[in-house]
Amino acid sequence: MELIAEWNKIRKHFNKSFSSNFYVSVASVDSENNPTVTPIGSMFLNDNQTGFYFEKFPSKLPKHAEENPNVCLLGVNSGRFFLDKIVV
């Protein structure tokens, strides 16, 4: 998936994911490339391929972002009607 070309679809998916289960997961890596996955309770994606999050307790994500700004986001749409469509 091309990030810039598909950004509106990505934002739409994350909005639906957040409204169905109230969090997304953010994966980051430390200076030795060890992964850490952090559940985030408030993630917002902007129009320009950027985003921001609000969370009280993440400890490793801010530190990892200083060393490596690349992250991977996981948003799962667990809405009943969406799951009914894909499971059938």
Side-chain angles (χ1 to χ4, degrees):
M1 176 177 274
E2 177 62 36
L3 180 70
I4 294 172
E6 303 291 336
W7 188 249
N8 286 334
K9 288 180 184 178
I10 294 167
R11 288 181 68 213
K12 185 176 179 179
H13 174 77
F14 267 83
N15 287 338
K16 288 181 179 181
S17 297
F18 186 75
S19 66
S20 69
N21 63 29
F22 303 112
Y23 78 94
V24 298
S25 294
V26 180
S28 61
V29 295
D30 64 14
S31 60
E32 297 175 8
N33 289 323
N34 296 311
T36 299
V37 177
T38 306
I40 297 295
S42 299
M43 169 71 71
F44 300 94
L45 300 179
N46 300 319
D47 291 334
N48 61 352
Q49 295 82 45
T50 63
F52 58 96
Y53 70 93
F54 297 102
E55 197 62 54
K56 187 173 183 178
F57 301 110
S59 58
K60 295 182 181 182
L61 182 58
K63 181 181 176 197
H64 291 179
E66 290 176 11
E67 298 167 355
N68 183 343
N70 298 310
V71 297
C72 182
L73 303 176
L74 170 66
V76 177
N77 183 350
S78 58
R80 179 177 173 253
F81 297 112
F82 178 76
L83 293 175
D84 285 348
K85 280 194 314 191
I86 63 170
V87 173
V88 173

